[in-house]
Amino acid sequence: MEFIQVLYKVSALAPLVLMAGVALLAWLGRFSDATLWRILRVGSFAALAMTGLAIVTSYQGMLWPGVIKATGLSMVMAALVQMLGTVIGGFSSRYLQGESGQARYVAALAAVLAAVHLLVLADHWVLLIGAWAFVGVALQSLLCFYPDRPFALLAAHKKRIADRLADVMLIVVAALAWVEVGSGSLSALMAHLSQHTISSALQVSAVALVLAVILRTALLPVHGWLIQVMEAPTPVSALLHAGVVNLGGVVLIQFAPLLEQATPARLLLLVVGLATAVLAGMVMLTRISIKVRLAWSTVAQMGFLLMECALGLYTLAALHLLGHSLYKAHAFLSASGIVRQTRLQALHGDSKPNALSLLWAPLLTISAVQLTTSLSAHAAWPWWWSAVLGLAWAPMIWQPAAPAGFAFRAGQLLTGLLMVFGLALAAMLAHALPLGLHNAPHPLLGLIALTGMATLYLCQAMLQRWPHLLSRWRRWSYAGFYVDEAYTRLALQLWPTRWIPHAGTHIKQEAITDVSR
């Protein structure tokens, strides 16, 4: 048993040492670009193997009491990050071939992977805040890899502002919790919450934590940088959308005991997450660019993910996080193939859904989800969440309005239903994973979420079937409801920057509005 503990600790901490070593070697600049890429590939693969070994040993506990702790969820997240780093590193070596500044890119990428690994294992406020801040600092170099692209610099500038505000919020959270508990250990905080009723100070700290996660996860109204970061290299976009932006969800799941007792914080998280999911989902329907649609999709998915955390469905949130990371990494790294596929789909004619199917599709998908849930002796989620998922998945079985044969329509319906059953079953099976999570569903907040998803479904159906009825609304949706423009103008007025002369003037704002469209 002692040998297993030692092996677990070594394998869990080795990825941090390996990635930090790769970053240091690249920063020193004593190797050729080709050699650095080989070092990164070997280092990232070794880090992935060591993380896998740590998961196989199935030992969980303190790696450094009160400072670093490994759980089932944290090790799964660490493995996911290292796998994404290995794939993105290999893609980047080909994507950036012949470019200058590759050593700086390798150093920043390895530093991000090391900081993220440290973040998911952090069990102390100082380590958590420092690791998350360092992720943002290392990421700035990747976002500004092309320094001659003004909107890449704008995105990095806006992200820097959101990160610093989030750091302030996290410091407030840490100070209030530290004074209340008498320790900076996160495990001590969880133990305190299990033995005492939450105090007013911890209620405030929970609200500040939610605000910090909103700022870090690119929810409204600070979502614009995640859209404009399309100016960065494609593998950087994949790293952001598949990995870094999901960290807010990881942190919230880790602080589930605090959220469970903090109803005001959960309500705030639900309102912002639901508004983000609804508005971003509508904007995504009106965009043509594949990469921009993927970016808006990420914003919507982050809103949906944090909404799951607000509702207390932490196991589903963890599964959503894993699935979204893998999907977005594949989507960005194969964006050219998605473009070709979209063009081929457009050749099939009218893509509008049949009006009648807009009515019976949600009833069928909700019934399918509820039926899958009933197969378990203990329902994995309440009925209102089955309705939310059914509304979200209903478009998969919409029937086309264009003339089509019975065989085509039946095949499309069967395929869609199989996908719904498969997704619901996967969500059910996720509860058997040893993640150490306990759900705490909130019925009243669930009804609010259901109302919001019904509104999104109605708007989505009308935009797809009768766009002329919402022509003015569609124009506002295409412009992102001008939320980012207001935030950008305020950000540049309060925190001007030298590379945008006369920051905040109408000339620069017109350019910002144009690129957001």
Side-chain angles (χ1 to χ4, degrees):
M1 185 64 180
E2 184 176 349
F3 172 75
I4 296 296
Q5 294 182 17
V6 173
L7 179 62
Y8 182 81
K9 291 181 179 181
V10 171
S11 57
L13 294 176
L16 173 61
V17 177
L18 286 169
M19 289 296 97
V22 172
L24 180 61
L25 290 175
W27 182 72
L28 293 176
R30 296 180 180 178
F31 298 92
S32 64
D33 291 340
T35 301
L36 282 177
W37 286 117
R38 284 194 292 269
I39 293 174
L40 177 63
R41 283 195 293 269
V42 172
S44 60
F45 184 79
L48 176 60
M50 296 301 289
T51 307
L53 179 61
I55 294 177
V56 170
T57 59
S58 300
Y59 176 82
Q60 298 180 16
M62 289 291 182
L63 302 177
W64 183 354
V67 179
I68 299 179
K69 181 182 179 180
T71 63
L73 175 64
S74 64
M75 293 314 301
V76 169
M77 292 297 109
L80 174 65
V81 169
Q82 295 302 335
M83 183 181 67
L84 292 175
T86 302
V87 174
I88 291 172
F91 184 89
S92 299
S93 64
R94 299 186 297 273
Y95 184 90
L96 298 175
Q97 191 171 9
E99 297 271 7
S100 59
Q102 293 185 48
R104 173 169 51 89
Y105 183 97
V106 172
L109 177 58
V112 168
L113 295 177
V116 171
H117 190 86
L118 183 61
L119 173 62
V120 298
L121 297 179
D123 192 49
H124 196 280
W125 281 113
V126 174
L127 201 60
L128 175 68
I129 297 173
W132 212 350
F134 191 76
V135 170
V137 171
L139 199 59
Q140 291 293 320
S141 180
L142 296 176
L143 297 179
C144 302
F145 183 76
Y146 297 120
D148 57 336
R149 297 184 179 182
F151 289 111
L153 300 179
L154 175 63
H157 181 65
K158 291 163 67 176
K159 184 182 185 304
R160 187 185 302 113
I161 294 175
D163 285 353
R164 298 295 77 79
L165 292 175
D167 290 340
V168 172
M169 291 292 103
L170 286 175
I171 291 173
V172 171
V173 177
L176 291 173
W178 203 321
V179 171
E180 182 73 19
V181 178
S183 170
S185 171
L186 303 184
S187 294
L189 171 61
M190 304 311 162
H192 176 85
L193 289 169
S194 65
Q195 300 173 3
H196 302 85
T197 305
I198 188 170
S199 63
S200 300
L202 290 182
Q203 290 277 9
V204 174
S205 69
V207 172
L209 176 65
V210 166
L211 291 174
V213 170
I214 289 172
L215 291 166
R216 292 278 191 179
T217 317
L219 266 64
L220 269 65
V222 295
H223 63 287
W225 68 265
L226 193 60
I227 310 300
Q228 293 160 351
V229 83
M230 294 298 102
E231 291 283 328
T234 295
V236 176
S237 298
L239 178 66
L240 269 171
H241 290 257
V244 173
V245 78
N246 294 304
L247 293 176
V250 177
V251 171
L252 280 182
I253 294 173
Q254 291 177 335
F255 280 90
L258 177 62
L259 284 179
E260 289 175 14
Q261 301 184 42
T263 302
R266 293 177 70 173
L267 180 60
L268 172 63
L269 187 61
L270 175 66
V271 170
V272 177
L274 183 59
T276 300
V278 171
L279 295 182
M282 293 181 62
V283 173
M284 183 182 64
L285 295 174
T286 60
R287 294 306 179 100
I288 299 175
S289 169
I290 298 299
K291 288 184 68 175
V292 173
R293 289 184 66 177
L294 286 174
W296 277 105
S297 170
T298 297
V299 175
Q301 292 297 325
M302 289 302 100
F304 203 80
L305 172 65
L306 298 191
M307 184 177 70
E308 290 169 335
C309 294
L311 296 175
L313 303 175
Y314 303 111
T315 305
L316 281 175
L319 176 66
H320 189 173
L321 194 153
L322 291 170
H324 178 262
S325 297
L326 295 174
Y327 165 72
K328 276 296 161 62
H330 173 267
F332 273 98
L333 298 182
S334 60
S336 58
I338 295 177
V339 171
R340 289 193 296 269
Q341 181 181 358
T342 303
R343 289 178 176 175
L344 288 175
Q345 291 175 349
L347 295 177
H348 286 82
D350 190 2
S351 60
K352 292 182 179 180
N354 180 277
L356 189 59
S357 70
L358 298 178
L359 298 176
W360 57 255
L363 300 177
L364 198 55
T365 51
I366 291 173
S367 300
V369 174
Q370 190 63 32
L371 176 61
T372 307
T373 304
S374 65
L375 297 177
S376 173
H378 304 282
W381 53 72
W383 67 268
W384 43 263
W385 187 249
S386 296
V388 169
L389 290 180
L391 288 170
W393 293 340
M396 291 193 292
I397 63 171
W398 281 350
Q399 296 287 287
F406 174 79
F408 175 80
R409 291 180 179 274
Q412 186 184 48
L413 177 61
L414 180 60
T415 302
L417 282 176
L418 288 176
M419 291 178 63
V420 172
F421 276 115
L423 289 171
L425 183 60
M428 291 289 297
L429 294 176
H431 289 73
L433 296 176
L435 299 178
L437 301 177
H438 302 282
N439 296 326
H442 195 295
L444 179 58
L445 297 183
L447 293 178
I448 296 175
L450 178 57
T451 303
M453 287 304 298
T455 303
L456 174 60
Y457 180 82
L458 178 62
C459 295
Q460 184 181 21
M462 294 186 69
L463 281 173
Q464 292 293 311
R465 187 66 182 85
W466 302 285
H468 59 282
L469 297 179
L470 297 176
S471 57
R472 180 180 296 274
W473 187 261
R474 188 180 181 91
R475 287 195 295 270
W476 276 73
S477 178
Y478 182 82
F481 299 95
Y482 299 100
V483 176
D484 180 54
E485 280 71 20
Y487 169 70
T488 302
R489 183 183 295 110
L490 178 63
L492 293 179
Q493 287 176 349
L494 298 180
W495 197 338
T497 180
R498 289 176 297 178
W499 46 265
I500 300 183
H502 309 296
T505 63
H506 68 282
I507 297 176
K508 295 298 174 292
Q509 187 59 39
E510 289 173 1
I512 294 166
T513 303
D514 181 68
V515 78
S516 70
R517 295 185 182 183

